[in-house]
């Protein structure tokens, strides 16, 4: 079948490619603060359930073949009415299978551990119905539904036939099964406990009932804690109170499985609180500690800056303790955190990887854009190039701001609402523009930390209005003081400012660079970026400056003549992600040839701009920013990455898994094979032919000469302001169209749930 071949290809090109021991030796054993001193284990809950339907054949195969070889496959045991075990997490099957459509009248209400639950339940159906006729569906709204109804429910024996390196069976509802004259213990006895290395349960009675039947040398019994206020059915104690009796748990279990908040609590404000002593206490009793509820697409804490690996590292590489394992919906991300990033916090950048880390308005994912805090963090985080998008005040002061419209990054709307106006040469919407305010007015504004692409995904709210707006001079002084390898100065709207506002932004930038002596040195790179070729022409006589053409619209191809024209004006281009990777419905389709076409004329390519938030990522990237980075660096071979989160890029480039020659590691970062995942989801249907995309023409590149700077002052612009000469590059409006499905789902889900996130 076609889908089998496609899925095989997907596994072969998995992002965390496994390297055979004969090809590359494993790196030297690290010292871990786990109970036994060994590397923490990765436990794949239902396989790669963050992408495929939980406990599906695809999900288990992906976790088994991508990431670490010793990844443990995790199965939540359910029992059919004829006592056959299968894997599925929810006691209600209607959220995760097609059972409701097969049996529309099958809804029932049962008491499950003291709660009345209505739905469709496994105890009402036999194995032939559930394992041969019932298909799986994705039960998390922000995850792709593309694979729904194409994969059958899997029995426990079917998963064991995959021959996983290790297998973990969780028995969540033994009391419920017993009420229906079913027994998880008898099912386990029927298969002889073979191939099962871990058995967990939140019910002490069940674990004690099998403790004498299982070979404890081969199979570890793990007590699973529920929420602190939930009641354990055997003892009628709360799970929270049972934390005080770890010695008692040691009598029948080898370890504990706990919600991750038991170890690193998160406050109502979604910031981390001090760690508990649970791991140390449990290790003192000889108990392993495994943590669960890890998922890339469920925001955990603002401390992690939406980097999912940062959360894993908080649990395994914090210099105080390490959990013994993590249970996750995204096993490949846990694998890269443990095998590629842990113990490399202070490592140097990998030799041979020359990709530039370019900040986007500083570290604008953590602090308000273009503030001193954002730039200082970008430097600390390892940015090679910090950027200043230059704007002009009414009285001619050049300063750094993400946009000429100050409502996008400051509280200007609250202070100068009456000065809102429309400038069609700059944007369609009303705004409060820097060139209509004096510097004294601007510097008293409060910056605002916002996520303009996905406002529902808040960023570091404790610092949402902290930091100082910087003049260009202050920015350049910071760059020199911090000895940053380079700066990028962006100039936009030069023609409008000159002709309509009597402001010479080009001269302001030139003078500032000269005063800071950047024109007389080559130690620090200077990149001049503009969407206007005539602006770049003003800097062509300074050989130490690199000129960068910003192309904000989405294109897929550049004819040779266009590339040659670009070469006359620029040394590099900055292109949106959508110009390099085509997407559809949240999936990647293919890569364009733009990088190859630019490189043929020795033009560097920078991609803009990368973010950590999972809603900005195609499904192919597994809600993992490192997968996207690997695809752009190893697959497309871009020369620079513009990012809101320089720390993520820096972390990637310090990992041995980033080495182009694959290094001496068990796994390596590898680019995804674009388009394969969508093709797998389409099963046997041939993919439709891709429509040809826009072609970058010379007219899109070459701008008219800059007008002379008008003398005297002019009235503020209004909706009736005549348009200036047409520019080569307008604002991009399609760069994120391919991800609109994800954004809509997230907005709907988070809009209803507020800041409450939970796994099924």
């Amino acid at each position: 079948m076609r889908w089998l071949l496609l899925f095989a290809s997907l596994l072969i090109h998995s992002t965390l490619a496994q390297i055979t021991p004969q090809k590359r030796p494993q790196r030297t054993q690290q010292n871990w603060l786990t109970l036994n001193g060994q590397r923490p284990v990765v436990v794949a809950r239902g396989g790669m359930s963050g992408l495929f339907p939980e406990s599906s054949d695809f999900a288990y195969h992906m976790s088994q073949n991508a990431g670490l070889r010793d990844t443990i496959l995790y199965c939540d045991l359910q029992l059919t009415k004829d006592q056959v075990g299968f894997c599925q997490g929810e006691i209600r099957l209607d959220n995760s299978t097609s059972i409701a459509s097969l049996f529309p009248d099958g809804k029932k209400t049962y008491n499950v551990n003291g709660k009345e639950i209505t739905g469709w339940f496994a105890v009402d159906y036999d194995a032939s119905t559930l394992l041969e006729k019932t298909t799986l569906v994705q039960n998390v709204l922000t995850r792709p539904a593309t694979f729904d109804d194409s994969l059958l429910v899997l029995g426990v024996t079917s998963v064991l036939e995959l021959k996983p390196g290790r297998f973990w069976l969780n028995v969540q509802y033994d009391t419920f099964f017993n009420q229906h004259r079913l027994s998880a213990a008898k099912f386990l006895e029927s298969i002889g406990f073979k191939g099962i290395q871990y058995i967990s349960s939140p019910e002490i009675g069940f674990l004690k009932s099998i403790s004498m039947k299982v070979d404890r040398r081969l199979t570890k019994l793990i007590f699973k804690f529920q929420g602190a206020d939930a009641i354990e059915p055997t003892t009628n104690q709360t799970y929270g109170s049972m934390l005080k009796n770890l010695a008692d748990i040691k009598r029948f279990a080898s370890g504990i499985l706990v919600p991750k908040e038991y170890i690193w609590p998160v406050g109502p404000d979604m910031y981390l609180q001090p760690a508990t002593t649970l791991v140390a206490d449990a290790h003192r009793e000889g108990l392993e500690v495994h943590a669960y509820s890890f998922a890339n697409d469920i925001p955990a804490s603002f401390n992690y800056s939406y980097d999912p690996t940062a959360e894993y590292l908080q649990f395994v590489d914090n210099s105080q303790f390490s959990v013994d394992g993590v249970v996750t919906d995204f096993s490949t991300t846990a694998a890269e955190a443990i095998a590629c990033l842990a113990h490399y916090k202070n490592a140097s950048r990998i030799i041979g990887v020359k990709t530039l880390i370019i900040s986007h308005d500083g570290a604008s994912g953590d602090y308000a854009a273009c503030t001193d805090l954002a730039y200082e963090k970008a430097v600390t985080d390892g940015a090679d190039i910090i950027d200043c998008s230059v704007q002009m005040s009414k009285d001619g002061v050049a300063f750094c701001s993400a946009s000429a419209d100050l409502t996008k990054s400051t509280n200007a709307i609250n202070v100068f609402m009456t000065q809102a106006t429309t400038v069609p040469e700059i944007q369609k919407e009303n705004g409060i523009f820097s060139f209509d305010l004096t510097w004294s007015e601007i510097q008293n504004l409060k910056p605002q930390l916002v996520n303009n692409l996905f406002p529902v995904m808040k960023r570091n709210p404790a610092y949402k209005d902290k930091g100082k707006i910087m003049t260009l001079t202050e920015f350049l002084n910071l760059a020199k003081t911090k000895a940053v390898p380079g700066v990028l100065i962006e100039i936009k709207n030069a023609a409008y400012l000159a002709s309509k506002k009597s402001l010479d932004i080009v001269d302001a930038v030139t003078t500032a660079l000269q005063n800071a002596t950047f024109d007389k040195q080559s130690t620090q790179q200077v990149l001049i970026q503009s969407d206007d070729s005539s602006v770049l022409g003003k800097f062509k006589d300074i050989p130490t400056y690199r000129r960068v053409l910003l192309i904000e619209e989405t294109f897929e191809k550049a004819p040779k003549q266009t590339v040659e024209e670009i070469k006359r004006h620029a040394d590099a281009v900055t292109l949106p992600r959508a110009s390099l990777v085509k997407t559809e419905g949240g999936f990647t389709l293919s890569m364009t040839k733009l990088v190859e076409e630019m490189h043929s004329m020795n033009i560097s390519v920078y991609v803009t701009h990368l973010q950590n938030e999972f809603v900005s990522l195609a499904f192919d990237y597994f809600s993992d920013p490192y997968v996207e980075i690997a695809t752009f660096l190893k697959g497309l071979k871009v020369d620079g990455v513009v990012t809101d989160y320089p720390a993520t890029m820096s972390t990637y480039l310090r990992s041995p898994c980033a080495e182009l020659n694959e290094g001496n590691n068990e796994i390596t970062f590898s680019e995804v094979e674009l388009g394969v995942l969508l093709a797998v989801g389409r099963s046997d249907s041939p993919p439709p032919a891709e429509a040809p995309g826009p072609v970058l023409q010379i007219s899109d590149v070459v701008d008219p000469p800059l007008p002379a700077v008008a003398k005297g002052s002019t009235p503020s612009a209004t909706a009736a302001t005549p348009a200036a000469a047409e520019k080569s590059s307008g604002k991009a409006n399609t760069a994120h169209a391919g991800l609109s499905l994800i954004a809509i789902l997230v907005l709907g889900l988070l809009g209803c749930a507020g800041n409450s996130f939970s796994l099924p």
Side-chain angles (χ1 to χ4, degrees), residues 40-331:
V41 297
V42 175
V43 186
R45 189 188 74 89
M48 190 71 169
S49 54
L51 179 63
F52 299 107
E54 178 211 327
S55 300
S56 64
D57 185 54
F58 281 9
Y60 281 127
H61 269 102
M62 178 61 81
S63 286
Q64 191 175 16
N65 291 279
L68 297 171
R69 287 186 183 81
D70 60 358
T71 295
I72 301 170
L73 301 187
Y74 180 103
C75 164
D76 276 298
L77 177 68
Q78 298 260 24
L79 293 175
T80 65
K81 70 178 182 181
D82 48 350
Q83 189 115 332
V84 174
F86 67 96
C87 301
Q88 197 55 221
E90 289 192 77
I91 191 68
R92 286 178 50 194
L93 298 182
D94 45 302
N95 280 344
S96 56
T97 75
S98 62
I99 192 70
S101 60
L102 293 174
F103 300 95
D105 299 325
K107 182 187 293 187
K108 292 187 178 180
T109 299
Y110 289 124
N111 186 287
V112 181
N113 295 343
K115 295 181 179 180
E116 296 294 315
I117 297 179
T118 299
W120 281 254
F121 297 83
V123 295
D124 295 322
Y125 304 95
D126 58 27
S128 62
T129 297
L130 290 174
L131 303 187
E132 298 174 16
K133 301 176 183 178
T134 309
T135 54
L136 297 166
V137 299
Q138 180 57 260
N139 60 355
V140 179
L141 290 177
T142 53
R143 297 174 183 175
T146 308
F147 311 101
D148 286 3
D149 296 318
S150 60
L151 301 162
L152 289 170
V153 171
L154 282 185
V156 171
T157 54
S158 295
V159 180
L160 289 172
E161 286 172 1
L162 298 176
K163 301 187 184 305
R166 285 183 285 181
F167 185 63
W168 184 312
L169 193 73
N170 180 57
V171 181
Q172 189 75 14
Y173 302 105
D174 186 58
T175 297
F176 176 73
F177 295 147
N178 291 339
Q179 291 168 352
H180 292 268
R181 298 182 180 181
L182 299 170
S183 171
K186 288 183 179 179
F187 168 73
L188 289 170
E189 289 181 69
S190 72
I191 63 174
F193 296 94
K194 292 182 180 178
I196 305 174
Q197 285 71 40
Y198 297 83
I199 298 175
S200 62
S201 177
E203 301 185 16
I204 289 177
F206 169 74
L207 292 175
K208 287 184 174 179
S209 73
I210 65 170
S211 61
M212 301 302 293
K213 301 175 182 178
V214 66
D215 188 340
R216 299 281 293 276
R217 297 169 301 176
L218 301 177
T219 303
K220 295 178 180 180
L221 300 185
I222 307 293
F223 180 53
K224 182 179 181 181
F225 280 78
Q226 304 290 88
D229 296 328
I231 303 296
E232 194 282 316
T234 305
T235 63
N236 284 325
Q237 298 181 46
T238 65
Y239 287 96
S241 66
M242 298 180 71
L243 289 172
K244 302 173 184 177
N245 301 309
L246 294 176
D248 291 341
I249 295 173
K250 177 60 179 174
R251 294 190 178 99
F252 61 86
S254 301
I256 57 176
L257 175 60
V258 300
K260 58 187 181 181
E261 292 79 12
Y262 273 39
I263 299 168
W264 281 103
V266 177
D269 59 357
M270 288 187 67
Y271 285 94
L272 285 179
Q273 297 179 347
T276 69
T277 60
L278 175 58
V279 175
D281 295 342
H283 283 176
R284 193 178 304 114
E285 298 294 341
L287 288 166
E288 293 182 357
V289 180
H290 303 270
Y292 68 90
S293 292
F294 290 90
N296 297 3
D297 54 358
I298 298 182
S301 169
F302 292 118
N303 297 79
Y304 303 133
S305 299
Y306 293 103
D307 179 351
T309 68
E311 182 178 23
Y312 293 109
L313 295 175
Q314 190 76 17
F315 283 78
V316 303
D317 189 23
N318 59 43
S319 77
Q320 299 175 35
F321 62 81
S322 171
V323 297
D324 301 280
V326 292
V327 181
T328 173
D329 290 9
F330 293 86
S331 54

Side-chain angles (χ1 to χ4, degrees), residues 478-497:
L478 172 70
K480 290 182 76 72
T481 301
K482 299 289 186 179
V484 183
V487 295
L488 182 148
I489 309 300
E490 182 176 89
I491 303 173
K492 298 172 72 173
N493 308 316
Y496 174 82
L497 291 171

Side-chain angles (χ1 to χ4, degrees), residues 493-510:
N493 308 316
Y496 174 82
L497 291 171
S499 62
K500 304 298 182 183
K501 294 296 176 180
S502 302
L503 294 170
D504 193 340
I505 189 173
V506 172
D507 181 68
V509 169
T510 301

Side-chain angles (χ1 to χ4, degrees), residues 127 170 178 234 242 281 353 365 368 381 425 494 545 599 601 604 655 680 736:
N170 180 57
N178 291 339
T234 305
M242 298 180 71
D281 295 342
V353 181
D381 288 346
E425 296 92 336
Y545 291 179
H599 282 176
M601 291 295 295
S604 299
S655 169
V680 170
H736 299 275

